[in-house]
Amino acid sequence: MEMTKKNENLKYLIDRYSAHPEIFEIFCTNLYKYMGYEVITPSHSNKVNHTVLMKKKDETVLLKCKCYPENIKIGGFLLHQLISSNKELLADRMIFITTSDYTDECTKYANAIGIELVNGLFLVKLVKQKNKAGSTKEIRLD
């Protein structure tokens, strides 16, 4: 039952944002803002790789977000875009968020170099955890 609800929520995200990737980036950025991060450089200011530089306390995080159908898996090429952006920005952490999932090779590569991967089902879990936290600025999936 729980997995079916997560899949429905994931389908909702994909349906809502797939035609508007810039709005999906805002959605993900807002989720991290509600988790205590502040935006330093929004994605629209980085037209090449569309990454978002955020900060929480003394730690900087580079965020890249892609809204894809569940059947399309992210490969290493998109991780290289994130790495390329970080060569200039020098963030402490890198996070890649997608509504889909990652290839096995991509996951191994990300683990080896320290990129955090958030797939669609984990994204839904993060949103639900945030909504349960009782924030007055909730991100809803309905």
Side-chain angles (χ1 to χ4, degrees):
M1 175 81 177
E2 179 65 29
M3 185 57 85
T4 303
K5 186 66 173 166
K6 281 186 182 179
N7 288 340
E8 289 173 9
N9 288 328
L10 182 55
K11 183 178 178 343
Y12 170 80
L13 284 176
I14 294 168
D15 291 347
R16 183 170 184 183
Y17 296 113
S18 61
H20 306 284
E22 68 284 353
I23 298 174
F24 180 68
E25 290 173 356
I26 293 168
F27 173 84
C28 294
T29 301
N30 283 341
L31 175 61
Y32 277 78
K33 283 170 62 176
Y34 297 148
M35 291 168 32
Y37 292 85
E38 67 175 284
V39 175
I40 298 171
T41 308
S43 66
H44 62 78
S45 66
N46 181 359
K47 294 292 184 193
V48 177
N49 289 328
H50 300 282
T51 54
V52 179
L53 185 63
M54 304 186 85
K55 184 175 184 175
K56 184 176 185 179
K57 298 184 182 178
D58 291 331
E59 179 183 59
T60 54
V61 176
L62 190 59
L63 192 66
K64 184 168 184 70
C65 313
K66 289 290 181 183
C67 183
Y68 287 145
E70 289 179 86
N71 63 331
I72 296 177
K73 291 197 173 191
I74 302 291
F77 175 74
L78 291 171
L79 292 187
H80 286 288
Q81 289 180 348
L82 181 60
I83 293 165
S84 176
S85 292
N86 200 41
K87 285 181 181 177
E88 185 178 319
L89 299 170
L90 303 174
D92 300 312
R93 290 173 46 210
M94 294 179 281
I95 303 172
F96 197 111
I97 300 174
T98 184
T99 49
S100 62
D101 208 346
Y102 302 91
T103 64
D104 290 340
E105 295 80 20
C106 181
T107 301
K108 288 176 190 172
Y109 180 61
N111 289 337
I113 62 173
I115 295 177
E116 297 171 43
L117 301 178
V118 176
N119 68 9
L121 293 177
F122 191 67
L123 176 60
V124 168
K125 184 177 178 179
L126 286 175
V127 172
K128 290 200 165 286
Q129 286 174 348
K130 187 58 196 161
N131 283 345
K132 287 181 182 177
S135 171
T136 56
K137 296 181 177 180
E138 295 185 39
I139 297 175
R140 294 278 182 201
L141 286 174
D142 48 42

